[in-house]
Amino acid sequence: MQHLVLAYYRCRMRWCPSSVIHLLRCVRLRSCTRRGKNHVPLWIKEIWAYLRLLVQSLYFNSLTDSDVVFDSVFEPVFWTVDYVTRWFGTVFICLVVILAGSVILIAYSVILPLVLKTYSPPWIAWHVCYGHWNIIMIAFHYYKATKTSPGYPPTEKNDSPFVSVCKKCIIPKPARTHHCGICNRCILKMDHHCPWLNNCVGHFNQRYFFSFCVALTVGCAYVSISGRNIFLDSYNALERFKHLDTDKPGIPVTGMGQLIGLLPPGQTNFVTPAPPHSFKDRMFHKCIIYMWVLASTVTVALTPLSIWHAVLISRGETSIERHINSKEAKRLAKRGRVYSNPFNYGRLNNWKLFLGVEKRSHWLTRVLLPSGHPPPGDGLTWQVAQVKQELIPV
């Protein structure tokens, strides 16, 4: 009897765990079937898959560095900035046209009549000639910079040499070509994307952009310096008008003065004469102040930009290449080597290539006067500067 009881308990201990496991499997299977009925939206699955891929890309290979991690983490921020900049491009162009148009309107309606009355004939001829030349240079180069394509690499198969493949466009990238996230295209000899042009600054329109910056800087500095005395006179005139307006309009008459008939019934002040200034005088001085303040602000903002681009042109590099070359120079300096920019042909030659100067007369016809000539080369192939030679004898 005792042997039967022991066998019973052994059998019970042997089968109970397996039965419990079987029961748990059944419950899990039912819960899985019920859970499968609640489908997750497709867009959530796509976002989750994208985030997983983004995290996995951070430790994909040994080439991952801080720049790759930074670009991956802040990719949504970059996308937002690119989208906003692309949308605000038209707004910036309209703002430039409105501000420039207002200055030109003030120059013709306010400044020019004042110059004709107060200046001597030689100074009048100088201001009129120089002012119109500067306006033409600014308008021409701004129009050409906005409407001229910066240059794009070919999307079809060709025999042009390339140095890499764009990971976004999936097309071969020639030397000095970079991808613009705002234009969403690769740009030949890309310098930067200018929101005030609503266009990229590249191989075919960089000269127009730089000439516009220089002409606008010189013109605004000319207005700011030559119009300083006129600005001070207008400012003092408005301050004098304010003091005149704050004076009391008359002497109050109270008490016996009203009874003896010094003033008509209902009038308590003496009638004073009209102020010595009118609304037209106020607007005249305000227009001069507005023009001077705007010109001075643009001069302060554009002078460092123009100098910076002039330095880059002298070195034969763009804004993007400046950062790349500085990193490469530091990397080679750790190895005891010196980095040399392969596209630096010497200061004078760099300016000749940039401005398209092929003979001496071009300094006048292509630099000091509006010119729509294209830059040398197609932007796809570049000659490496091994030996610096003069393109034009000096």
Side-chain angles (χ1 to χ4, degrees), residues 266-331:
Q267 183 174 342
T268 59
N269 293 326
F270 285 110
V271 178
T272 56
H277 58 276
S278 61
F279 175 77
K280 183 178 179 181
D281 297 331
R282 284 179 172 274
M283 292 304 299
F284 175 84
H285 295 296
K286 287 183 178 180
C287 288
I288 293 178
I289 293 175
Y290 163 78
M291 182 177 181
W292 189 88
V293 171
L294 180 61
S296 302
T297 305
V298 173
T299 303
V300 173
L302 277 186
T303 299
L305 180 65
S306 301
I307 295 175
W308 168 249
H309 280 280
V311 171
L312 293 179
I313 295 170
S314 301
R315 295 175 178 175
E317 57 188 6
T318 62
S319 300
I320 298 177
E321 292 172 353
R322 174 59 180 170
H323 299 287
I324 297 175
N325 294 341
S326 61
K327 283 186 177 182
E328 192 67 15
K330 292 178 181 179
R331 186 182 68 86

Coordinates of all heavy atoms in Angstrom, one line a residue, residues 266-331:
G266 N -17.0 130.9 -24.8 CA -16.6 129.5 -25.1 C -15.1 129.4 -25.4 O -14.6 128.3 -25.4
Q267 N -14.3 130.5 -25.7 CA -12.9 130.4 -26.0 C -12.1 130.8 -24.8 O -12.4 131.9 -24.2 CB -12.6 131.2 -27.2 CG -11.1 131.1 -27.6 CD -10.8 131.9 -28.9 OE1 -11.8 132.2 -29.6 NE2 -9.6 132.2 -29.2
T268 N -11.2 130.0 -24.3 CA -10.4 130.2 -23.1 C -9.0 130.5 -23.4 O -8.2 130.8 -22.5 CB -10.5 129.0 -22.2 OG1 -10.0 127.9 -22.8 CG2 -12.0 128.8 -21.8
N269 N -8.5 130.4 -24.7 CA -7.1 130.6 -25.0 C -6.9 131.6 -26.1 O -7.8 131.7 -27.0 CB -6.4 129.3 -25.4 CG -6.3 128.4 -24.2 OD1 -6.1 128.8 -23.1 ND2 -6.4 127.1 -24.5
F270 N -5.8 132.3 -26.1 CA -5.5 133.2 -27.3 C -5.2 132.3 -28.5 O -4.6 131.3 -28.3 CB -4.3 134.1 -26.9 CG -4.7 135.2 -26.0 CD1 -4.2 135.3 -24.7 CD2 -5.5 136.3 -26.5 CE1 -4.5 136.3 -23.9 CE2 -5.8 137.3 -25.6 CZ -5.3 137.3 -24.3
V271 N -5.5 132.8 -29.6 CA -5.2 132.0 -30.9 C -3.8 132.4 -31.3 O -3.5 133.5 -31.5 CB -6.2 132.4 -32.0 CG1 -5.9 131.7 -33.3 CG2 -7.6 132.1 -31.6
T272 N -3.0 131.3 -31.4 CA -1.6 131.5 -31.8 C -1.4 131.2 -33.2 O -2.2 130.5 -33.9 CB -0.7 130.5 -31.0 OG1 -1.1 129.2 -31.2 CG2 -0.7 130.8 -29.5
P273 N -0.4 131.7 -33.8 CA -0.1 131.5 -35.3 C 0.2 130.0 -35.6 O 0.6 129.3 -34.7 CB 1.0 132.4 -35.6 CG 1.8 132.6 -34.3 CD 0.7 132.6 -33.3
A274 N 0.1 129.7 -36.8 CA 0.4 128.3 -37.2 C 1.9 128.0 -37.0 O 2.7 128.9 -37.0 CB 0.0 128.1 -38.7
P275 N 2.2 126.7 -36.8 CA 3.6 126.3 -36.5 C 4.5 126.6 -37.8 O 4.0 126.6 -38.9 CB 3.6 124.8 -36.2 CG 2.3 124.4 -36.8 CD 1.3 125.5 -36.7
P276 N 5.8 126.9 -37.6 CA 6.6 127.2 -38.7 C 7.0 126.0 -39.6 O 7.8 126.2 -40.5 CB 7.9 127.8 -38.0 CG 7.9 127.1 -36.7 CD 6.5 126.9 -36.3
H277 N 6.5 124.8 -39.3 CA 6.8 123.7 -40.1 C 5.5 123.0 -40.5 O 4.4 123.1 -39.8 CB 7.6 122.7 -39.3 CG 7.0 122.2 -38.0 ND1 7.1 123.0 -36.8 CD2 6.3 121.1 -37.7 CE1 6.5 122.3 -35.9 NE2 6.0 121.2 -36.4
S278 N 5.5 122.2 -41.6 CA 4.3 121.5 -42.1 C 4.6 120.0 -42.1 O 5.7 119.6 -41.8 CB 4.0 122.0 -43.5 OG 5.1 121.8 -44.4
F279 N 3.6 119.3 -42.5 CA 3.7 117.8 -42.6 C 4.7 117.5 -43.7 O 5.5 116.5 -43.5 CB 2.3 117.2 -42.9 CG 2.4 115.8 -43.2 CD1 2.5 114.9 -42.1 CD2 2.3 115.2 -44.5 CE1 2.5 113.5 -42.3 CE2 2.4 113.9 -44.7 CZ 2.5 113.0 -43.6
K280 N 4.8 118.3 -44.7 CA 5.8 118.0 -45.8 C 7.2 118.1 -45.3 O 8.1 117.4 -45.6 CB 5.5 119.0 -47.0 CG 6.4 118.7 -48.2 CD 6.1 119.7 -49.3 CE 7.0 119.4 -50.5 NZ 6.7 120.4 -51.6
D281 N 7.4 119.2 -44.4 CA 8.7 119.3 -43.9 C 9.1 118.2 -43.0 O 10.3 117.7 -43.0 CB 8.8 120.6 -43.0 CG 8.6 121.9 -43.9 OD1 8.9 121.8 -45.1 OD2 8.0 122.9 -43.4
R282 N 8.2 117.7 -42.2 CA 8.5 116.5 -41.3 C 8.9 115.3 -42.2 O 9.8 114.6 -41.9 CB 7.3 116.2 -40.5 CG 7.1 117.1 -39.3 CD 5.9 116.7 -38.5 NE 5.8 117.5 -37.2 CZ 6.4 117.2 -36.1 NH1 7.2 116.1 -36.0 NH2 6.2 117.9 -35.0
M283 N 8.1 115.0 -43.2 CA 8.3 113.8 -44.0 C 9.6 114.0 -44.8 O 10.4 113.0 -45.0 CB 7.2 113.6 -45.1 CG 5.9 113.2 -44.4 SD 6.0 111.7 -43.4 CE 6.6 110.6 -44.6
F284 N 10.0 115.2 -45.2 CA 11.3 115.4 -45.8 C 12.4 115.0 -45.0 O 13.3 114.3 -45.4 CB 11.4 116.9 -46.2 CG 12.7 117.3 -46.8 CD1 12.9 117.1 -48.2 CD2 13.7 117.8 -46.0 CE1 14.2 117.5 -48.7 CE2 14.9 118.2 -46.6 CZ 15.2 118.0 -47.9
H285 N 12.4 115.5 -43.7 CA 13.5 115.1 -42.8 C 13.5 113.7 -42.4 O 14.5 113.0 -42.2 CB 13.5 116.0 -41.6 CG 13.7 117.5 -41.9 ND1 14.9 118.0 -42.4 CD2 12.9 118.6 -41.8 CE1 14.8 119.3 -42.6 NE2 13.6 119.7 -42.2
K286 N 12.3 113.1 -42.2 CA 12.2 111.7 -41.9 C 12.7 110.8 -43.0 O 13.3 109.7 -42.7 CB 10.8 111.3 -41.5 CG 10.3 111.9 -40.2 CD 8.9 111.4 -39.9 CE 8.4 112.0 -38.5 NZ 7.1 111.5 -38.2
C287 N 12.5 111.2 -44.2 CA 13.0 110.4 -45.3 C 14.5 110.4 -45.4 O 15.1 109.3 -45.6 CB 12.4 110.9 -46.7 SG 10.7 110.5 -46.9
I288 N 15.1 111.5 -45.1 CA 16.6 111.6 -45.1 C 17.1 110.7 -44.0 O 18.1 110.0 -44.1 CB 17.0 113.0 -44.9 CG1 16.6 113.8 -46.2 CG2 18.5 113.1 -44.7 CD1 17.0 115.3 -46.1
I289 N 16.5 110.8 -42.8 CA 17.0 109.9 -41.7 C 16.8 108.5 -42.0 O 17.7 107.6 -41.7 CB 16.2 110.3 -40.4 CG1 16.6 111.8 -40.0 CG2 16.5 109.4 -39.2 CD1 15.8 112.3 -38.8
Y290 N 15.7 108.1 -42.5 CA 15.5 106.7 -42.9 C 16.5 106.2 -43.9 O 17.1 105.1 -43.7 CB 14.1 106.5 -43.5 CG 13.8 105.2 -44.2 CD1 13.6 104.0 -43.6 CD2 13.8 105.2 -45.6 CE1 13.4 102.9 -44.3 CE2 13.6 104.1 -46.3 CZ 13.4 102.9 -45.7 OH 13.2 101.7 -46.4
M291 N 16.8 107.0 -44.9 CA 17.8 106.6 -45.9 C 19.2 106.4 -45.3 O 19.9 105.5 -45.6 CB 17.7 107.6 -47.0 CG 18.7 107.3 -48.2 SD 18.5 108.5 -49.5 CE 19.7 107.8 -50.7
W292 N 19.5 107.4 -44.5 CA 20.9 107.3 -43.9 C 21.1 106.2 -42.9 O 22.1 105.5 -42.9 CB 21.2 108.6 -43.2 CG 22.6 108.8 -42.7 CD1 23.6 109.3 -43.5 CD2 23.2 108.4 -41.5 NE1 24.8 109.2 -42.8 CE2 24.6 108.7 -41.5 CE3 22.7 107.8 -40.3 CZ2 25.4 108.4 -40.5 CZ3 23.5 107.5 -39.3 CH2 24.9 107.8 -39.3
V293 N 20.1 105.9 -42.1 CA 20.1 104.8 -41.1 C 20.2 103.5 -41.9 O 21.0 102.6 -41.5 CB 18.9 104.8 -40.2 CG1 18.9 103.6 -39.3 CG2 19.1 106.1 -39.3
L294 N 19.4 103.3 -42.9 CA 19.3 102.0 -43.7 C 20.7 101.8 -44.4 O 21.2 100.7 -44.4 CB 18.2 102.1 -44.7 CG 18.0 100.8 -45.6 CD1 17.8 99.6 -44.7 CD2 16.9 101.0 -46.6
A295 N 21.2 102.9 -45.0 CA 22.5 102.8 -45.7 C 23.6 102.4 -44.7 O 24.5 101.6 -45.0 CB 22.8 104.0 -46.5
S296 N 23.6 103.0 -43.6 CA 24.7 102.8 -42.6 C 24.6 101.4 -42.1 O 25.6 100.7 -41.9 CB 24.6 103.8 -41.4 OG 24.7 105.1 -41.9
T297 N 23.4 100.9 -41.8 CA 23.2 99.5 -41.3 C 23.7 98.5 -42.4 O 24.4 97.5 -42.0 CB 21.7 99.3 -41.0 OG1 21.3 100.3 -40.1 CG2 21.5 97.9 -40.4
V298 N 23.3 98.7 -43.6 CA 23.7 97.8 -44.7 C 25.3 97.8 -44.8 O 25.9 96.7 -45.1 CB 23.0 98.1 -46.0 CG1 23.6 97.3 -47.1 CG2 21.5 97.9 -45.9
T299 N 25.9 99.0 -44.7 CA 27.3 99.1 -44.8 C 28.0 98.3 -43.7 O 29.0 97.5 -44.0 CB 27.7 100.5 -44.7 OG1 27.1 101.3 -45.7 CG2 29.3 100.7 -44.9
V300 N 27.5 98.4 -42.5 CA 28.1 97.7 -41.4 C 27.9 96.2 -41.5 O 28.8 95.4 -41.2 CB 27.5 98.1 -40.0 CG1 28.0 97.3 -38.9 CG2 27.8 99.6 -39.8
A301 N 26.8 95.7 -42.1 CA 26.5 94.3 -42.2 C 27.3 93.7 -43.4 O 27.7 92.5 -43.3 CB 25.0 94.1 -42.4
L302 N 27.4 94.4 -44.5 CA 27.9 93.8 -45.7 C 29.5 94.0 -45.8 O 30.1 93.2 -46.6 CB 27.3 94.4 -47.0 CG 26.0 93.8 -47.4 CD1 25.5 94.4 -48.7 CD2 26.1 92.3 -47.5
T303 N 30.0 94.9 -45.1 CA 31.5 95.1 -45.3 C 32.3 93.9 -44.8 O 33.2 93.4 -45.6 CB 31.9 96.3 -44.5 OG1 31.3 97.5 -45.0 CG2 33.4 96.5 -44.5
P304 N 32.0 93.3 -43.6 CA 32.7 92.1 -43.3 C 32.5 90.9 -44.3 O 33.4 90.1 -44.6 CB 32.2 91.7 -41.9 CG 31.7 93.0 -41.4 CD 31.1 93.7 -42.5
L305 N 31.3 90.8 -44.8 CA 30.9 89.7 -45.7 C 31.7 89.9 -47.0 O 32.3 88.9 -47.5 CB 29.4 89.7 -46.0 CG 29.0 88.6 -47.0 CD1 29.2 87.2 -46.4 CD2 27.5 88.8 -47.3
S306 N 31.8 91.1 -47.5 CA 32.5 91.3 -48.8 C 34.0 91.1 -48.6 O 34.7 90.5 -49.4 CB 32.3 92.8 -49.2 OG 30.9 93.0 -49.5
I307 N 34.6 91.5 -47.4 CA 36.0 91.3 -47.2 C 36.3 89.8 -47.0 O 37.3 89.3 -47.5 CB 36.4 92.1 -45.9 CG1 36.3 93.6 -46.1 CG2 37.8 91.7 -45.5 CD1 36.6 94.4 -44.9
W308 N 35.4 89.1 -46.4 CA 35.6 87.6 -46.2 C 35.6 86.9 -47.6 O 36.5 86.1 -47.8 CB 34.5 87.1 -45.3 CG 34.4 85.6 -45.3 CD1 33.4 84.8 -45.8 CD2 35.3 84.7 -44.7 NE1 33.7 83.5 -45.6 CE2 34.8 83.4 -44.9 CE3 36.6 84.8 -44.1 CZ2 35.5 82.2 -44.5 CZ3 37.2 83.7 -43.6 CH2 36.7 82.4 -43.8
H309 N 34.7 87.2 -48.4 CA 34.7 86.6 -49.8 C 35.9 87.0 -50.6 O 36.4 86.2 -51.4 CB 33.4 86.9 -50.5 CG 32.2 86.1 -50.0 ND1 32.0 84.8 -50.4 CD2 31.2 86.3 -49.1 CE1 30.9 84.3 -49.9 NE2 30.4 85.2 -49.1
A310 N 36.3 88.3 -50.4 CA 37.5 88.7 -51.1 C 38.7 87.9 -50.7 O 39.6 87.5 -51.5 CB 37.7 90.2 -50.9
V311 N 38.8 87.6 -49.4 CA 39.9 86.8 -48.9 C 39.9 85.4 -49.5 O 40.9 84.8 -49.9 CB 39.9 86.8 -47.4 CG1 41.0 85.8 -46.8 CG2 40.2 88.1 -46.8
L312 N 38.6 84.8 -49.5 CA 38.5 83.4 -50.1 C 38.8 83.4 -51.5 O 39.5 82.4 -52.0 CB 37.0 83.0 -49.9 CG 36.6 82.8 -48.4 CD1 35.1 82.3 -48.4 CD2 37.4 81.7 -47.8
I313 N 38.5 84.4 -52.3 CA 38.8 84.4 -53.7 C 40.3 84.5 -53.9 O 40.9 83.9 -54.8 CB 38.1 85.6 -54.4 CG1 36.6 85.4 -54.4 CG2 38.6 85.8 -55.9 CD1 35.8 86.6 -54.8
S314 N 41.0 85.3 -53.1 CA 42.4 85.4 -53.2 C 43.1 84.1 -52.9 O 44.2 83.8 -53.4 CB 42.9 86.5 -52.2 OG 42.4 87.7 -52.5
R315 N 42.5 83.2 -52.0 CA 43.1 81.9 -51.7 C 42.6 80.8 -52.7 O 43.1 79.7 -52.5 CB 42.7 81.6 -50.3 CG 43.2 82.5 -49.2 CD 42.7 82.1 -47.9 NE 43.3 82.9 -46.8 CZ 42.9 82.9 -45.5 NH1 42.0 82.0 -45.1 NH2 43.5 83.7 -44.6
G316 N 41.7 81.2 -53.6 CA 41.2 80.2 -54.5 C 40.3 79.1 -53.9 O 40.4 77.9 -54.3
E317 N 39.5 79.5 -53.0 CA 38.6 78.5 -52.3 C 37.2 79.1 -52.0 O 37.1 80.4 -52.1 CB 39.2 78.0 -51.0 CG 39.6 79.1 -50.0 CD 40.3 78.6 -48.8 OE1 40.7 77.4 -48.8 OE2 40.6 79.4 -47.9
T318 N 36.3 78.3 -51.8 CA 34.9 78.8 -51.4 C 34.7 78.7 -49.9 O 35.6 78.2 -49.2 CB 33.9 77.9 -52.2 OG1 34.0 76.5 -51.7 CG2 34.1 78.0 -53.7
S319 N 33.5 79.1 -49.5 CA 33.3 79.0 -48.0 C 33.3 77.6 -47.5 O 33.8 77.3 -46.4 CB 31.9 79.6 -47.7 OG 31.9 81.0 -48.2
I320 N 32.7 76.6 -48.3 CA 32.7 75.2 -47.9 C 34.1 74.7 -47.9 O 34.6 74.0 -47.0 CB 31.8 74.4 -48.8 CG1 30.3 74.9 -48.6 CG2 31.9 72.9 -48.4 CD1 29.3 74.2 -49.5
E321 N 34.9 75.0 -49.0 CA 36.2 74.5 -49.1 C 37.2 75.1 -48.0 O 38.2 74.4 -47.6 CB 36.8 74.8 -50.5 CG 36.1 74.1 -51.6 CD 36.6 74.6 -52.9 OE1 37.3 75.6 -53.0 OE2 36.2 73.9 -53.9
R322 N 36.8 76.2 -47.5 CA 37.6 76.8 -46.4 C 37.6 75.9 -45.2 O 38.6 75.6 -44.6 CB 37.1 78.2 -46.0 CG 37.7 78.8 -44.8 CD 39.2 79.0 -45.0 NE 39.8 79.6 -43.9 CZ 41.1 79.7 -43.7 NH1 42.0 79.2 -44.6 NH2 41.6 80.3 -42.6
H323 N 36.4 75.4 -44.8 CA 36.3 74.5 -43.7 C 37.0 73.1 -44.0 O 37.7 72.5 -43.1 CB 34.8 74.2 -43.3 CG 34.1 75.5 -42.9 ND1 34.3 76.1 -41.7 CD2 33.2 76.3 -43.5 CE1 33.6 77.2 -41.6 NE2 32.9 77.3 -42.7
I324 N 36.8 72.6 -45.2 CA 37.4 71.4 -45.6 C 38.9 71.5 -45.6 O 39.6 70.6 -45.1 CB 36.9 70.9 -47.0 CG1 35.4 70.7 -46.9 CG2 37.6 69.6 -47.4 CD1 34.8 70.3 -48.2
N325 N 39.4 72.6 -46.1 CA 40.9 72.7 -46.2 C 41.5 72.9 -44.8 O 42.6 72.4 -44.6 CB 41.2 73.9 -47.1 CG 40.9 73.7 -48.6 OD1 40.7 72.5 -49.0 ND2 40.8 74.7 -49.3
S326 N 40.8 73.6 -43.9 CA 41.4 73.8 -42.6 C 41.4 72.5 -41.8 O 42.4 72.2 -41.1 CB 40.5 74.8 -41.8 OG 39.2 74.3 -41.7
K327 N 40.4 71.6 -42.0 CA 40.4 70.3 -41.4 C 41.5 69.4 -42.0 O 42.2 68.7 -41.2 CB 39.1 69.6 -41.6 CG 38.0 70.1 -40.7 CD 36.7 69.2 -40.8 CE 35.6 69.7 -39.9 NZ 34.4 68.8 -40.0
E328 N 41.7 69.5 -43.3 CA 42.7 68.7 -43.9 C 44.1 69.2 -43.5 O 45.0 68.4 -43.3 CB 42.6 68.8 -45.4 CG 43.4 67.8 -46.2 CD 42.9 66.3 -46.0 OE1 41.8 66.1 -45.5 OE2 43.7 65.4 -46.3
A329 N 44.3 70.5 -43.4 CA 45.6 71.0 -42.9 C 45.9 70.6 -41.5 O 47.1 70.2 -41.2 CB 45.6 72.5 -43.0
K330 N 44.9 70.5 -40.6 CA 45.2 70.1 -39.2 C 45.5 68.6 -39.2 O 46.4 68.1 -38.5 CB 43.9 70.3 -38.4 CG 43.7 71.8 -38.1 CD 42.5 72.0 -37.3 CE 42.2 73.5 -37.1 NZ 40.9 73.8 -36.3
R331 N 44.8 67.8 -40.1 CA 45.0 66.4 -40.1 C 46.5 66.1 -40.6 O 47.2 65.2 -40.0 CB 44.0 65.7 -41.0 CG 44.1 64.2 -41.0 CD 43.1 63.6 -42.0 NE 43.4 63.9 -43.3 CZ 44.2 63.1 -44.1 NH1 44.8 62.1 -43.6 NH2 44.5 63.5 -45.3

